[in-house]
């Protein structure tokens, strides 16, 4: 890699999908080898208005246009603080009491400190461990964590480089990423209306324009478009919402908290208790049925099985009518509010907006509210003008121009030829779901895990009926983990059980590579230092902005800090050491790199993008930018599902009957007796695996329901060390010990009952363990609910089940069980907890070593806290 900046301003896509698709294109100003500032890209600087052909949406006498610059969120603008974080891993590290030739002490992972070693020693050990595991157990004894969020890169992409290298020398067992952003839609929505790949309304074509022209209201159901899109596509959704208000459309916000969208925009907040949305939805349907205010003829012609649903809603199945009064006790919404809202909806054209799904899509039984939402849309004539499920994030994802409610560009750029990232699950037999990793790592000999489907979001609906097991017959259990996504405990289900799994005696070696020392890295035996995106030359696309699609070359801004290398280079270094063993490792570097330089990979990526009609590679290499104009004639594209509304045979769905299946024929055929995901969507009170309702016996000890949102000031577990963010009151709460705790939002009623005030330090707990937080008293969270963003950096005091975490990483205490018996999704929201004040001074006396770690309130826990010499 070059060590000097190619120019004073460098293009960078600063987003965190971790895939080859990006947004948030920025200009990075560099001087004397340091990043000075990050600022928006002005489109006029790279392409004229004539070349871009800016779109215009005209509705009700007003005009909406794309704007003249990229709409960078604060997370992108502040990202230089991440580059120079005191938490950067700058050299290879080894756990001091892990000896590959002696005692490995797996029980000390998460507790022991680290020593600095050389690249030669680190890669020699890693190569030797790979060879040893191959010889003793076989390649499938190595598990790759090759998925997750992270910096968006292409050539140097995370979550694939080391997996691609291992694939060339025998393979590995893949930890398969489940559809975490779309759990309920994938496991539920697909069975109602198809909509591959993820179960949300895929056809968004011109839907925003249609809502502008014909809509009466937008319902933001668990949707925080002022927060969630920041990590992936910037702030265009915010502008879209403001324009709808300007046009006179009403806004409704349904969520336990008055989220940032509800706080910023005019409208009505309907507070609903966490993971009780299904009760509210059923009561709305009940109101429409008894009052006769739904589209009966449409339901007859466009849906299957409504009579089964009607019978359940009216109480014919279980003797319990799902009336507003019934729902009030379940969801906390007054019955009069439910009836008034249902009556408004029945008289108006209402769309439901989502930024993927929010908490209700990641809760126990999340497939039920997902299915019920589609039923409600169908009952009010889904597809008629002004209605639909409006997607407010990742416009055009998966390369579908139809999956974009905004005017489409003439080109959707993709770079598969240069991508070294995430590995697809479909077609693999040696894998297990990410949500079942703790169980997979701790299986006894002879035991097996069982589940259905490849679990990845891109798998078709019928894949959910295919049974799988781990380990496959004749395959070994896991002995080694290779990872570059060390945030399992921070972002997935049952994190304390994962901490225990990472300390299991059978797991002999854990290797992690990452730019920062955070979360699961404290459980690694070896850690390799990785560059940030600013230290690598790469190629990128911007397809998710909702403005203009772009492809550009990203020059390295600065020299690599310390001894860090890219993920791609890390894999090459290990491959070089493996070559010494010959055999299957012979010529591994050449086979892995194909003999290409980074510049040659960029050219290969350009060729795979098929952008020849817009520019030549020589022009692209010189200008470093290619902008796709708005497609001519986009206004004439058919609107989303309007053809379906007019004639369902003209636009058949991908369900078995080609209609909306309120009675899911696939579920009826394969899982007819499933009480957790019934053939017709239901309210599920509780099961043996999930006792997370206020009606459960556990609620006596744990009376509050947890809200665990996408964080406002992070992207999942990233950015927790950004100094500018940590100064914000809703980002961190300063405790009496000077530590900045993750905020715990409490309604004044609950805070008073618990004798808590702003700034108190509390533990949020259940039988799985505890996490600390700082009290933030606010009317923006409803009584009975506790709100703490997920993704805070792990700062372990006591590790494992029943543990205690100072950082406030509440995924540690969420359920370990999957969404439901036949749905291997995560359940990380809407679970029971209790809250109590703690004396941090007393805790510091009880755990002096943990409270004495190197820490500064400005940026938090530092890598030196884990080094034996404090370096």
């Amino acid at each position: 890699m070059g060590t000097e900046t190619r120019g004073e301003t460098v293009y960078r896509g600063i987003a965190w999908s971790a895939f080859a698709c990006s947004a948030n294109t920025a200009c990075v100003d560099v001087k004397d080898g340091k990043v000075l500032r990050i600022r928006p890209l002005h489109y006029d600087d790279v392409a004229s208005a004539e070349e871009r052909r800016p779109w215009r949406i005209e509705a009700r006498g007003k005009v909406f246009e794309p704007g003249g610059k990229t709409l960078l969120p604060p997370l992108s603008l502040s990202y230089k603080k991440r580059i120079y974080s005191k938490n950067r891993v700058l050299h290879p590290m080894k756990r001091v009491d892990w000896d590959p030739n002696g005692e490995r002490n797996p029980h000390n992972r998460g507790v022991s400190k680290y020593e600095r070693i050389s690249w030669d020693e680190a890669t020699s050990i890693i190569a030797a461990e790979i060879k040893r595991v191959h010889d003793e157990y076989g390649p499938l004894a190595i598990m790759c964590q090759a998925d997750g969020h992270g910096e968006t890169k292409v050539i140097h992409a995370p979550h694939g480089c080391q997996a691609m290298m291992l694939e060339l020398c025998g393979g590995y067992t893949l930890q398969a990423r489940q559809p975490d952003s779309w759990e309920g839609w994938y496991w539920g929505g697909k069975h109602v209306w198809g909509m591959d790949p993820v179960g949300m309304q895929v056809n968004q074509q011109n839907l925003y324009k249609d809502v502008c022209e014909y809509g009466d209201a937008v319902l933001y159901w668990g949707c925080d478009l002022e927060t969630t899109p920041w990590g992936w596509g910037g702030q265009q959704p915010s502008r879209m919402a403001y324009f709808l208000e300007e046009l006179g459309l009403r806004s409704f916000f349904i969520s336990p908290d008055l989220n940032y969208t509800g706080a910023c925009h005019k409208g009505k907040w309907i507070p609903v208790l966490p993971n009780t949305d299904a009760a509210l939805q059923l009561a709305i349907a009940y109101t429409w049925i008894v009052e006769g205010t739904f589209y009966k003829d449409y339901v007859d012609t466009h849906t299957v099985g409504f009579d089964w649903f009607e019978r359940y809603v009216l109480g014919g199945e279980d003797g319990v009518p799902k009336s507003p009064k019934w729902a009030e006790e379940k969801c906390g919404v007054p019955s009069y509010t439910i009836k008034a809202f249902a009556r408004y909806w029945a008289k108006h054209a209402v769309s439901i907006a989502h930024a993927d799904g929010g908490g209700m899509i990641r809760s126990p039984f999340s497939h039920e509210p997902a299915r019920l939402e589609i039923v409600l849309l169908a009952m009010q004539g889904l597809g008629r003008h002004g209605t639909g499920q409006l997607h407010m994030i990742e416009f055009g994802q998966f390369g579908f121009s139809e999956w974009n409610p905004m005017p489409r560009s003439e080109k959707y750029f993709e770079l598969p030829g240069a991508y070294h990232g995430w590995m697809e699950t479909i077609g693999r037999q040696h894998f297990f779901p990410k949500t079942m990793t703790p169980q997979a790592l701790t299986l006894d000999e002879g035991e097996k895990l069982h589940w259905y489907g490849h679990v990845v979001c891109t798998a078709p609906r019928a894949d959910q009926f295919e049974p799988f097991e781990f380990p496959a017959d004749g395959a070994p259990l896991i002995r080694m983990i290779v990872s570059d996504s060390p945030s399992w405990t921070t972002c997935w289900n049952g994190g304390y059980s994962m901490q225990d799994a990472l300390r299991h005696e059978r797991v002999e070696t854990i290797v992690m590579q990452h730019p920062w020392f955070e979360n699961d890295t404290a459980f690694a035996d070896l850690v390799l230092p990785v560059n940030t995106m600013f230290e690598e030359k790469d190629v990128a696309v911007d397809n998710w902005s909702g403005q203009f699609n772009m492809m550009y070359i990203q020059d390295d801004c600065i020299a690599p800090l310390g001894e860090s290398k890219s993920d791609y280079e890390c894999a090459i270094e290990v491959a070089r050491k493996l070559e010494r063993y010959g055999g299957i490792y012979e010529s591994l570097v050449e086979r892995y790199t194909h003999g290409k330089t980074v510049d040659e990979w960029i050219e290969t990526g350009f060729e795979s993008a098929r952008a020849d009609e817009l520019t030549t590679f020589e022009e692209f290499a010189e200008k470093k930018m290619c902008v796709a104009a708005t497609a001519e004639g986009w206004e004439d594209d058919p609107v989303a599902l309007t053809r379906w509304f007019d004639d369902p045979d003209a636009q058949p769905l991908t369900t078995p009957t080609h209609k909306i299946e309120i009675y899911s024929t696939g579920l009826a055929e394969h899982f007819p007796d499933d009480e957790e995901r019934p053939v017709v969507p239901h309210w599920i009170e509780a099961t043996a695996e999930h006792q997370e309702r206020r009606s459960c016996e556990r609620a006596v000890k744990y009376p509050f329901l947890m809200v665990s949102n996408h964080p406002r000031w992070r992207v999942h577990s990233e950015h927790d060390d950004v100094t500018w963010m940590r100064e914000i009151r809703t980002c961190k709460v300063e405790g009496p010990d000077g530590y900045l705790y993750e905020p715990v939002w409490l309604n004044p009623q609950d805070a008073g009952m618990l004798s808590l005030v702003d700034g108190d330090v509390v533990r949020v707990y259940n039988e799985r363990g505890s996490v600390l937080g700082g009290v933030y008293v606010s009317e923006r969270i409803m009584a009975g609910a506790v709100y703490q963003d997920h993704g805070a950096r792990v700062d372990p005091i006591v590790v494992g089940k029943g543990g205690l975490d100072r950082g406030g990483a509440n995924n540690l205490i969420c359920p370990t069980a999957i969404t439901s018996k036949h749905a291997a999704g995560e359940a990380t929201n809407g679970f029971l907890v209790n809250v109590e004040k703690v004396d941090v001074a007393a805790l510091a006396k009880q755990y002096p070593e943990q409270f004495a770690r190197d820490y500064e309130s400005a940026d938090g826990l530092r890598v030196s806290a884990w080094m034996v010499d404090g370096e």
Side-chain angles (χ1 to χ4, degrees):
M1 302 297 295
T3 57
E4 296 181 2
T5 303
R6 308 286 195 268
E8 292 188 352
T9 299
V10 180
Y11 302 136
R12 276 283 151 187
I14 308 179
W16 298 276
S17 75
F19 303 124
C21 36
S22 188
N24 295 344
T25 305
C27 289
V28 181
D29 295 330
V30 180
K31 186 175 182 181
D32 298 330
K34 283 186 71 73
V35 172
L36 295 183
R37 68 172 179 170
I38 298 168
R39 56 187 173 84
L41 169 76
H42 287 256
Y43 290 116
D44 283 339
D45 292 341
V46 294
S48 67
E50 184 179 32
E51 292 172 313
R52 302 194 310 274
R53 286 199 299 270
W55 45 263
R56 284 169 58 91
I57 294 176
E58 299 182 33
R60 310 184 199 198
K62 300 183 183 295
V63 176
F64 187 57
E65 297 177 289
K69 62 182 180 181
T70 55
L71 300 167
L72 300 186
L75 300 175
S76 298
L77 293 168
S78 66
Y79 203 57
K80 76 171 188 177
K81 306 295 287 186
R82 262 306 241 172
I83 307 170
Y84 301 111
S85 168
K86 297 292 186 181
N87 202 34
R88 278 292 299 270
V89 179
L90 298 178
H91 46 255
M93 299 162 59
K94 184 180 78 70
R95 186 162 60 86
V96 292
D97 55 353
W98 181 81
D99 181 358
N101 300 310
E103 292 296 325
R104 296 179 181 245
N105 298 302
H107 59 282
N108 284 337
R109 292 181 181 132
V111 177
S112 302
K113 292 192 175 184
Y114 294 78
E115 61 185 354
R116 177 177 179 174
I117 61 174
S118 67
W119 267 99
D120 180 67
E121 181 180 1
T123 51
S124 294
I125 293 173
I126 294 169
E129 285 296 285
I130 292 172
K131 176 68 164 59
R132 180 187 65 81
V133 172
H134 281 181
D135 291 346
E136 293 184 18
Y137 310 107
L140 300 181
I142 300 177
M143 179 190 95
C144 260
Q145 285 188 304
D147 73 289
H149 291 284
E151 292 188 317
T152 301
K153 307 175 185 180
V154 177
I155 297 168
H156 308 280
H159 315 325
C161 288
Q162 77 276 46
M164 287 183 173
M165 185 268 289
L166 288 171
E167 188 80 9
L168 296 172
C169 43
Y172 55 90
T173 294
L174 178 67
Q175 173 191 266
R177 179 178 181 171
Q178 87 292 345
D180 53 277
S181 290
W182 306 285
E183 296 288 17
W185 307 122
Y186 179 85
W187 300 107
K190 281 194 177 193
H191 298 290
V192 181
W193 61 358
M195 298 293 177
D196 286 324
V198 300
M200 298 187 77
Q201 182 174 325
V202 174
N203 193 332
Q204 296 279 307
Q205 199 166 249
N206 281 345
L207 182 56
Y208 180 72
K209 178 175 181 289
D210 186 69
V211 171
C212 289
E213 293 173 337
Y214 300 103
D216 295 317
V218 176
L219 168 55
Y220 300 95
W221 202 312
C223 170
D224 191 358
L225 54 82
E226 295 290 348
T227 294
T228 310
W230 280 10
W232 293 271
Q235 300 193 74
Q236 179 75 325
S238 177
R239 295 184 68 236
M240 293 164 67
Y242 278 117
F243 186 65
L244 292 174
E245 290 174 42
E246 189 179 338
L247 294 175
L249 277 75
R250 291 195 64 180
S251 299
F252 295 90
F253 314 101
I254 298 184
S255 57
D257 58 314
L258 182 65
N259 61 30
Y260 290 89
T261 299
C264 290
H265 297 274
K266 296 182 294 184
K268 179 174 178 57
W269 174 35
I270 301 176
V272 61
L273 284 167
N275 196 26
T276 64
D277 307 83
L280 174 58
Q281 292 162 321
L282 286 165
I284 292 170
Y286 175 93
T287 304
W288 292 343
I289 291 170
V290 298
E291 296 183 357
T293 53
F294 65 98
Y295 279 58
K296 298 182 186 67
D297 292 342
Y298 174 97
V299 166
D300 289 341
T301 55
H302 290 66
T303 75
V304 172
F306 181 77
D307 53 338
W308 289 75
F309 178 69
E310 182 177 40
R311 177 174 178 268
Y312 171 68
V313 170
L314 296 180
E317 178 182 319
D318 56 9
V320 180
K322 309 307 178 291
S323 66
K325 203 65 184 174
W326 167 86
E328 179 179 70
E329 183 182 355
K330 305 287 185 185
C331 68
V333 182
S335 59
Y336 58 82
T337 300
I338 298 174
K339 286 185 281 189
F341 177 63
R343 289 164 181 163
Y344 175 89
W345 190 345
K347 294 178 181 178
H348 295 86
V350 178
S351 290
I352 302 179
H354 286 293
D356 284 343
M360 77 171 187
I361 293 303
R362 296 182 183 85
S363 296
F365 324 123
S366 59
H367 32 66
E368 299 310 288
R371 297 162 75 193
L372 286 166
E373 176 170 311
I374 302 162
V375 174
L376 295 185
L377 287 169
M379 290 178 72
Q380 292 303 327
L382 172 68
R384 65 189 173 103
H385 283 300
T387 71
Q389 190 186 68
L390 185 61
H391 200 56
M392 302 288 272
I393 193 172
E394 300 161 331
F395 305 131
Q397 195 171 28
F398 296 107
F400 301 157
S401 62
E402 296 87 357
W403 198 348
N404 183 2
M406 303 302 291
R408 60 182 171 89
S409 291
E410 65 179 353
K411 176 69 178 178
Y412 187 98
F413 297 107
E414 291 186 293
L415 301 163
Y419 185 49
H420 291 107
W422 173 72
M423 304 298 289
E424 177 64 83
T425 310
I426 298 174
R428 294 183 178 272
Q429 294 299 314
H430 302 293
F431 71 97
F432 50 78
K434 188 167 188 172
T435 50
M436 302 175 83
T437 300
Q439 298 93 317
L441 295 180
T442 57
L443 282 174
D444 290 332
E445 292 288 347
E447 286 187 325
K448 287 182 180 287
L449 284 179
H450 299 274
W451 69 93
Y452 289 88
H454 283 92
V455 304
V456 66
C457 62
T458 53
R461 178 191 57 82
D463 184 75
Q464 295 182 29
F465 307 133
E466 186 175 349
F468 287 92
E469 65 180 22
F470 170 82
D473 289 342
L477 294 171
I478 301 302
R479 300 285 178 164
M480 181 176 182
I481 297 172
V482 177
S483 173
D484 65 355
S485 55
S487 291
W488 202 107
T489 56
T490 331
C491 294
W492 267 266
N493 48 312
Y496 275 132
S497 62
M498 182 62 169
Q499 288 186 345
D500 283 336
L502 291 172
R503 298 188 299 156
H504 195 275
E505 60 182 7
R506 189 176 55 242
V507 181
E508 299 166 353
T509 306
I510 300 178
V511 177
M512 295 190 181
Q513 55 192 59
H514 198 54
W516 303 276
F517 195 96
E518 55 194 14
N519 307 317
D520 302 355
T521 48
F523 292 80
D525 302 315
L526 292 158
V527 182
L528 296 180
V530 174
N531 300 152
T532 66
M533 63 176 75
F534 296 87
E535 297 150 72
E536 303 162 355
K537 185 174 184 179
D538 210 334
V539 61
V541 300
D542 183 339
N543 290 328
W544 290 355
S545 70
Q547 299 184 98
F548 302 100
N549 290 357
M550 298 183 288
M551 175 176 64
Y552 45 94
I553 294 173
Q554 302 185 114
D555 285 324
D556 44 317
C557 303
I558 59 174
L561 297 191
E563 299 177 10
S564 64
K565 299 180 184 293
S566 74
D567 285 293
Y568 179 62
E569 292 169 325
C570 288
I572 292 171
E573 292 299 316
V574 173
R576 284 201 178 101
K577 297 297 173 63
L578 282 168
E579 284 184 334
R580 297 175 179 177
Y581 298 107
I584 61 172
Y585 311 111
E586 189 173 346
S587 304
L588 184 56
V589 173
E590 176 68 22
R591 287 187 285 137
Y592 178 65
T593 65
H594 300 277
K596 293 182 179 180
T597 65
V598 169
D599 286 331
E600 288 169 334
W601 278 119
I602 290 174
E603 185 170 3
T604 302
F606 175 85
E607 291 169 354
S608 68
R610 299 181 180 178
D612 296 3
E613 68 273 19
L614 300 182
T615 185
T616 66
F617 178 72
E618 289 70 26
E619 292 172 335
F620 180 60
E622 179 182 355
K623 294 182 179 179
K624 304 185 186 300
M625 174 67 72
C626 179
V627 181
T630 303
E632 293 184 301
W634 66 269
E635 306 95 329
D636 300 324
D637 293 341
V639 174
L641 297 176
T642 53
R643 285 185 298 159
W644 159 259
F645 178 81
D646 293 334
D647 180 6
D649 293 331
Q651 196 176 2
L653 301 180
T654 57
T655 58
T657 60
H658 305 304
K659 295 185 178 184
I660 291 175
E661 295 195 353
I662 300 174
Y663 178 100
S664 297
T665 57
L667 295 180
E669 178 183 355
H670 294 277
F671 305 124
D673 300 319
D674 189 344
E675 296 181 354
E676 296 176 311
R677 186 176 53 168
V679 175
V680 172
H682 277 46
W683 166 262
I684 311 299
E685 187 67 33
T687 64
E689 290 291 342
H690 288 301
Q691 298 282 318
E692 304 293 346
R693 302 291 191 194
R694 295 194 304 169
S695 60
C696 295
E697 187 176 336
R698 288 181 67 243
V700 176
K701 294 178 66 176
Y702 313 115
F704 298 103
L705 284 165
M706 185 73 170
V707 184
S708 181
N709 286 341
H710 273 289
R712 169 73 165 179
W713 307 114
R714 291 186 298 272
V715 176
H716 296 299
S717 63
E718 300 168 77
H719 304 82
D720 210 37
D721 54 358
V722 174
T723 59
W724 295 342
M725 302 301 183
R726 293 170 66 89
E727 297 173 357
I728 299 169
R729 186 166 174 247
T730 54
C731 179
K732 297 292 179 183
V733 172
E734 184 174 3
D737 54 351
Y739 191 95
L740 296 190
Y741 289 90
E742 187 67 16
V744 174
W745 293 44
L746 290 169
N747 183 275
Q749 177 181 321
D750 293 329
M753 180 181 66
L754 297 169
S755 300
L756 296 172
V757 297
D758 275 341
D760 281 345
V761 178
V762 294
R763 74 178 184 112
V764 182
Y765 68 97
N766 52 34
E767 75 278 15
R768 302 174 195 116
S770 308
V771 298
L772 300 185
V775 171
Y776 183 85
V777 180
S778 175
E779 295 277 4
R780 284 177 56 190
I781 181 69
M782 68 183 298
V786 174
Y787 164 30
Q788 185 182 48
D789 282 337
H790 98 110
R793 196 184 338 170
V794 172
D795 187 355
I797 298 174
V798 178
V799 299
K801 187 175 180 180
L804 175 63
D805 183 73
R806 195 181 186 191
N810 56 63
N811 280 63
L812 292 166
I813 61 171
C814 67
T816 300
I818 57 177
T819 304
S820 68
K821 179 170 56 177
H822 296 127
E826 64 178 88
T828 51
N829 191 78
F831 53 93
L832 291 172
V833 299
N834 205 346
V835 180
E836 68 177 16
K837 185 176 180 178
V838 299
D839 183 341
V840 291
L843 280 176
K845 288 181 180 179
Q846 186 178 359
Y847 302 103
E849 185 176 347
Q850 291 86 338
F851 274 72
R853 290 187 183 122
D854 190 8
Y855 170 91
E856 291 291 336
S857 61
D859 49 18
L861 200 63
R862 297 177 170 189
V863 65
S864 53
W866 295 95
M867 300 297 293
V868 288
D869 54 8
E871 286 188 7

